[in-house]
């Protein structure tokens, strides 16, 4: 708010600047606007016609000229002591305008104030109708105050100035009140109609602040009037207190800035971010989303410890600048502390739009940082939370974004959107986790099997067991929705044990009829901690009387490389059992050739992201390199995600050993998988066993 002078377009969040109806429309907004102009502009015109400066005494003209200059300064240079109540601040011009009104009447007061308003609006480049509206509503508001004075018998004009007395205090106070009510009422009416808000909602917005500033500024007009009565020589004494007020306001604004901003990067701090997020949530338009990112710089501590805090500080300043450039001007970038930042997106269409901004931030920070000729590389882990999808209050959104960021950092994915299933403290997650525990006990989990076949012979080289959850209410639930639940709880060992036991039982059924294909089971990093996995495998192989070659365990490249020290004992125990490993998603991490040679890895699976590029016309250089690496290490290469004949042919040309994907077969339940294996060309031995077991005894 403008304090005692409320202006169109400056009333905080309620501004007609972005109003839907146009100023020329026949809507209530247009009617209110033009009614104000048709009433106020003729008053201004009448005052201009009756402005007779020659009627004033020369010594009074000096006083009037000084006050007129102060009106212009006060209108164009508002006092801004805090940004809490908008950017406009308080315009002290009204105090000097009322001093003119009390001393010389309506005509010079309207002319000087409207002239100052016109100059201020031209400087701010306001649209024409706002400028005209301000002129009209000031003329009406000052006229209303003047009518109050006239009702009390007030007499003042350029030819006969009014001399203030003790009895004038009451009419002055009533005039101030009427001016405030009319001024604020007219603006609230137009703003409310423009933005489809109620009159009372706009009128009483920041009402306490408006009343306080009106009392402070308009009371000052009485002091100015007394100074005028004393003579023009006393008016310069008003300047020192005015300068002091402006200086104090500047200091207060600096203190507020320091309290709300980070001193190193000049970005908003956590306190200001929380305030802006709360305001944004209140103002959110139905259908829009509010996005909150929390991001943490990877490896920053290493840079800080190695090169010193001064280099680290400079790096943070550059990061802050890149973040500002990566988002829209209306979005907020904040530093939460240390190497942690936040981004507030005020209005976005959907989740994909938010992820696009997150990816743009990642690209901006991935560019090398040049510090004194030294190139430094950083990456960021970004957690994304969206309102109202993930929460509708500040604390919940901050928590969700923080959790998503830690998941992105832990899994090295760069960007993660909050998911309740991966939040160990989520109410929904706790409910789903309990249902999963019950589902394991009640046998609701089932395995589907996807074959792998040789690219050269077409023979089946194995099947991968993929777990599904047949939820009684939600239907078939895929692993992405419940595996993270188990991984971040104590349920993962039970789930893996169930899958291994079920897979070994199916393998025993196949091996008994001659379908001797190894079954692969996916295991997580949590499974490899401790001795439980090796014991589960050993017990299962013994129970179903299967050789170790019947089972293959798949783990991701990241787990093997990043946690090799923690999982070494388990891998050694599996190697003693004769169980071999398959390295999944190969090419998406950073592998050590020494570790690959030392571990019982029998195959590496080329990640589907590389395989898919072959059908899109990719040159296959990465796929060829992975295949050649596998063969150099004496292990097989399996391509994941093979979906077209073209991809199959390219892989065959590149010398890949086996393929897995929808082109071969989709994952199938056990009965369908058995039928598929029996129909496959390698089925002959199995069919012989089945026929012999079905023949009558002695036949």
């Amino acid at each position: 708010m403008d304090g005692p002078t409320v202006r169109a377009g400056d009333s905080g969040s309620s501004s007609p600047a972005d109003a839907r109806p146009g100023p020329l429309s026949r809507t209530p907004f247009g009617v209110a606007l033009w009614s104000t102009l048709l009433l106020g502009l003729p008053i201004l015109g009448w005052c201009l016609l009756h402005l007779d400066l020659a009627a004033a005494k020369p010594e009074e003209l000096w006083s009037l000229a000084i006050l007129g200059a102060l009106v212009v300064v006060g209108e164009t240079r508002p006092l801004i002591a805090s940004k809490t109540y908008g950017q406009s601040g308080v315009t002290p011009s009204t105090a000097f305008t009322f001093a003119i009104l009390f001393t010389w009447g309506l005509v010079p007061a309207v002319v000087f104030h409207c002239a100052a308003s016109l100059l201020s609006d031209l400087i701010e480049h306001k649209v024409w109708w706002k400028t005209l509206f301000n002129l009209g509503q000031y003329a009406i508001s000052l006229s209303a105050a003047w009518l109050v004075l006239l009702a009390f018998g007030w007499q003042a004009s350029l030819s006969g100035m009014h001399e203030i007395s003790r009895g004038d205090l009451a009419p002055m106070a009533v005039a101030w009140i009427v001016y405030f009510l009319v001024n604020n009422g007219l603006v609230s009416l137009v703003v409310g109609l423009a933005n489809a808000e109620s009159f009372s909602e706009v009128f009483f917005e920041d009402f306490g602040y408006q009343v306080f500033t009106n009392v402070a500024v308009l009371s000052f007009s009485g002091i100015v009037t007394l100074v005028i009565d004393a003579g023009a020589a006393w008016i310069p004494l008003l300047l020192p207190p005015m300068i002091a007020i402006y200086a104090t306001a500047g200091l207060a604004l600096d203190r507020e800035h320091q309290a709300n901003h980070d001193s190193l990067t000049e970005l908003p701090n956590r306190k200001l971010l929380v305030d802006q997020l709360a305001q944004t949530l209140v103002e959110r338009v139905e259908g829009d989303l509010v996005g909150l990112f929390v991001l943490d710089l990877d490896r920053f501590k290493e840079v800080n410890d190695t090169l010193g805090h001064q280099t680290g500080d400079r790096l943070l300043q550059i990061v802050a600048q890149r973040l500002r450039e990566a988002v829209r001007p209306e979005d907020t970038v904040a530093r939460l502390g240390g190497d942690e930042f936040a981004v507030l997106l005020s209005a976005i269409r959907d989740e994909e739009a938010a992820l696009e901004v997150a990816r743009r931030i990642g690209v901006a920070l991935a560019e090398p940082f040049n510090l004194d000729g030294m190139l430094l590389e950083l990456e960021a882990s970004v957690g994304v939370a969206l309102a109202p999808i993930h929460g509708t209050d500040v604390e919940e959104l901050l928590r969700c974004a923080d959790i998503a960021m830690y998941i992105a950092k832990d899994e090295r994915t760069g960007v993660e959107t909050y998911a309740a299933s991966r939040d160990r403290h989520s109410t929904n997650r706790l409910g789903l986790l309990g249902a999963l525990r019950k589902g394991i006990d009640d046998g609701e989990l089932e395995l589907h099997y996807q074959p792998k076949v040789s690219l050269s012979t077409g023979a089946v080289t194995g099947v991968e067991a993929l777990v599904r959850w047949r939820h009684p209410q939600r239907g078939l639930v895929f692993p992405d929705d419940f595996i993270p639940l188990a991984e971040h709880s104590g349920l993962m060992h039970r789930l893996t044990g169930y899958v291994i036991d079920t897979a070994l039982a199916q393998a025993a059924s196949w091996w008994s009829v001659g379908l001797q294909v190894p079954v692969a089971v996916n295991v997580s990093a949590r499974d490899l901690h401790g001795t439980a996995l090796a014991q589960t495998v050993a017990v299962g192989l013994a129970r179903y009387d299967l050789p170790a070659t019947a089972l293959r365990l798949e783990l991701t490249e990241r787990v093997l490389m990043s946690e090799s020290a923690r999982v070494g004992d388990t891998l050694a125990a599996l190697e003693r059992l004769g169980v071999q490993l398959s390295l999944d998603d190969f090419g998406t991490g950073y592998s050590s050739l020494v570790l690959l040679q030392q571990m019982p890895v029998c195959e590496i699976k080329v990640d589907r992201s590389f395989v898919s590029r072959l059908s899109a016309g990719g040159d296959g250089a990465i796929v060829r390199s992975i295949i050649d690496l596998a063969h150099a290490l004496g292990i097989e290469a399996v391509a994941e995600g093979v979906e077209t004949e073209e991809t199959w042919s390219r892989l065959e040309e590149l010398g890949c050993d086996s393929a897995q994907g929808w082109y071969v077969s989709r994952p199938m339940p056990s009965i369908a998988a058995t039928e598929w294996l029996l129909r496959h060309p390698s089925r002959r031995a199995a069919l012989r066993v089945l026929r012999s077991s079905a023949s009558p005894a002695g036949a």
Side-chain angles (χ1 to χ4, degrees):
M1 288 297 200
D2 264 3
T5 305
V6 186
R7 302 165 58 82
D10 292 337
S11 50
S13 61
S14 301
S15 166
D18 301 317
R20 296 294 181 188
L24 300 178
S25 61
R26 296 182 179 178
T27 61
F29 161 70
V31 172
L33 172 64
W34 283 102
S35 297
T36 303
L37 299 184
L38 291 175
L39 179 60
L41 294 183
I43 295 175
L44 173 59
W46 181 86
C47 290
L48 287 170
L49 289 175
H50 289 80
L51 181 65
D52 185 11
L53 296 177
K57 298 176 181 178
E59 61 272 19
E60 294 179 10
L61 282 178
W62 278 109
S63 299
L64 182 60
I66 294 173
L67 287 183
L70 291 175
V71 170
V72 173
V73 172
E75 187 72 14
T76 56
R77 297 291 301 274
L79 282 167
I80 304 176
S82 172
K83 296 294 183 68
T84 304
Y85 298 98
Q87 306 293 323
S88 301
V90 176
T91 51
S93 56
T94 314
F96 303 110
T97 298
F98 262 79
I100 295 174
L101 181 73
F102 293 147
T103 306
W104 291 288
L106 177 67
V107 171
V110 168
V111 171
F112 276 98
H113 199 88
C114 286
S117 172
L118 178 61
L119 178 61
S120 176
D121 287 352
L122 291 176
I123 293 173
E124 295 179 22
H125 302 289
K126 288 189 177 179
V127 294
W128 63 270
W129 64 267
K130 286 185 184 179
T131 300
L132 292 180
F133 173 80
N134 284 329
L135 296 177
Q137 62 99 356
Y138 283 144
I140 294 173
S141 301
L142 289 170
S143 297
W146 179 243
L147 289 176
V148 170
L149 296 176
L150 290 179
F152 280 91
W154 200 283
Q155 293 184 359
S157 66
L158 287 171
S159 59
M161 64 179 290
H162 181 85
E163 294 184 4
I164 204 77
S165 66
R166 183 181 302 177
D168 291 335
L169 186 58
M172 290 169 64
V174 176
W176 293 334
I177 294 172
V178 169
Y179 171 84
F180 168 72
L181 294 175
V182 174
N183 174 242
N184 195 31
L186 286 172
V187 174
S188 298
L189 176 64
V190 172
V191 169
L193 293 173
N195 293 341
E197 297 175 322
S198 68
F199 172 82
S200 60
E201 181 182 0
V202 181
F203 185 84
F204 290 106
E205 182 183 16
D206 300 333
F207 189 74
Y209 173 74
Q210 294 181 51
V211 172
F212 173 76
T213 53
N214 270 276
V215 171
V217 174
L218 291 176
S219 297
F220 186 62
S221 66
I223 299 174
V224 176
T225 305
L226 289 172
V227 171
I228 295 172
D229 276 352
W234 293 88
I235 294 180
L237 295 180
L238 295 172
L239 297 180
M242 287 297 299
I243 294 173
I245 291 172
Y246 273 97
T248 303
L251 291 174
L253 194 61
D254 287 342
R255 285 195 297 269
E256 183 183 68
H257 181 85
Q258 292 171 8
N260 291 307
H261 288 77
D262 171 56
S263 59
L264 177 65
T265 62
E266 289 299 312
L267 293 177
N269 58 16
R270 180 182 289 271
K271 177 180 178 296
L272 183 55
L273 174 73
V274 167
D275 292 342
Q276 292 185 349
L277 177 57
Q279 184 67 22
T280 302
L281 291 174
V282 170
E283 297 175 355
R284 184 183 68 86
V285 177
E286 187 69 28
D288 283 347
L289 300 178
V290 173
L292 179 66
F293 299 170
V294 171
L295 60 100
D296 184 84
L297 302 179
D298 301 333
R299 300 193 303 275
F300 175 76
K301 186 177 185 299
E302 179 183 343
V303 173
N304 216 29
D305 293 344
T306 304
L307 302 178
H309 293 287
Q310 185 175 0
T311 301
D313 288 348
R314 289 177 58 199
L315 188 58
L316 289 174
Q317 290 172 334
I318 300 174
V319 167
Q321 181 61 32
R322 290 191 183 183
L323 289 175
R324 279 192 291 256
E325 293 172 352
V327 299
R328 302 169 301 182
E330 62 266 29
D331 298 327
T332 300
V333 178
R335 185 186 178 200
L336 303 182
D339 61 345
E340 195 173 45
F341 294 82
V343 176
L344 172 60
L345 305 181
S346 55
I348 47 177
R349 300 185 311 276
D350 49 33
E351 182 178 343
E352 182 55 37
L355 291 177
E356 175 60 31
V357 177
R359 287 190 287 266
R360 192 160 68 238
I361 288 173
V363 171
L365 297 182
E367 287 291 322
F369 294 83
N370 190 337
L371 293 176
D372 298 328
M374 181 184 302
L375 291 179
L376 301 176
E377 291 189 359
L378 288 180
E379 294 177 352
S381 298
V382 184
V384 179
L386 303 171
I389 297 175
H390 302 134
T392 55
D393 64 84
V394 171
E395 291 302 324
E396 183 67 11
L397 283 175
L398 280 169
R399 190 185 73 84
C400 291
D402 209 42
I403 289 171
M405 183 272 289
Y406 278 110
I407 293 174
K409 180 178 284 289
D410 183 56
E411 300 185 1
R412 299 184 182 180
T413 53
V415 178
E416 287 288 343
T417 303
Y418 175 80
S421 61
R422 308 173 78 178
D423 180 359
R424 65 187 67 186
H425 302 296
S426 164
T427 303
N428 292 335
R429 177 193 178 279
L430 292 176
L432 194 60
L433 188 61
L436 177 59
R437 183 177 286 107
K438 184 176 183 297
I440 295 175
D441 294 336
D442 295 348
E444 294 173 2
L445 299 184
E446 60 187 56
L447 296 188
H448 289 197
Y449 301 89
Q450 187 173 36
K452 296 179 290 185
V453 299
S454 169
L455 282 156
S456 58
T457 67
V460 178
T461 58
V463 294
E464 181 179 358
L466 302 166
V467 66
R468 304 287 189 264
W469 181 10
R470 187 72 63 177
H471 193 280
Q473 283 80 41
R474 299 175 61 176
L476 194 63
V477 182
F478 287 87
D480 285 349
D481 294 327
F482 64 88
I483 291 295
L485 277 175
E487 285 183 329
H488 292 87
S489 69
L491 200 57
M492 194 65 215
H493 293 306
R494 286 187 58 194
L495 176 59
T496 302
Y498 178 92
V499 172
I500 289 177
D501 186 74
T502 306
L504 288 175
Q506 182 62 64
S509 174
W510 287 337
W511 281 59
S512 67
V513 297
L515 291 173
Q516 296 184 357
V517 293
V519 179
V521 173
N522 290 279
V523 294
S524 72
R526 189 174 290 271
D527 292 321
L528 297 171
H529 298 163
T531 60
L533 179 62
Q535 293 174 353
T536 299
V537 170
V539 170
L541 291 174
R543 177 188 300 162
Y544 296 106
D545 193 23
L546 285 171
T549 53
L551 180 67
R552 192 167 290 172
L553 298 180
E554 290 193 6
L555 66 157
T556 64
E557 179 185 15
R558 184 187 67 82
V559 170
L560 181 62
M561 295 306 138
S562 64
E563 306 203 27
S564 57
R566 297 186 63 186
V567 305
D569 292 343
T570 298
L571 296 180
L574 292 172
E575 187 174 16
R576 288 193 295 271
L577 289 173
V579 176
Q580 293 182 311
L581 303 179
S582 175
L583 204 55
D584 202 8
D585 300 336
F586 192 85
T588 60
Y590 302 92
S591 292
S592 164
L593 298 184
V594 174
L595 277 177
L596 284 176
Q597 287 180 315
Q598 292 175 347
M599 300 296 180
V601 176
C602 66
E603 69 178 16
I604 56 178
K605 302 182 77 172
V606 185
D607 188 70
R608 64 181 65 247
S609 63
F610 302 123
V611 174
S612 63
R613 297 174 190 172
L614 295 176
S615 59
D619 59 10
I622 295 177
V623 177
R624 183 192 300 275
S625 299
I626 296 174
I627 293 170
D628 291 345
L629 173 63
H631 292 165
L633 295 172
I635 56 182
E636 294 188 351
V638 179
E640 294 184 291
V642 179
E643 298 183 359
T644 65
E645 182 177 359
E646 179 187 359
T647 304
W648 174 284
S649 300
R650 289 291 306 279
L651 289 166
E652 191 174 10
E653 292 173 3
L654 295 172
C656 190
D657 298 294
S658 299
Q660 179 182 356
W662 286 4
Y663 181 70
V664 177
S665 172
R666 293 176 180 246
M668 301 168 285
S670 59
I671 296 176
T674 302
E675 294 175 351
W676 188 93
L677 290 171
L678 290 173
R679 290 196 306 270
H680 196 269
S682 61
R683 69 190 184 282
R684 296 185 182 88
L687 287 174
R688 283 197 299 271
V689 174
L690 287 173
R691 287 167 183 164
S692 63
S693 63
S695 300

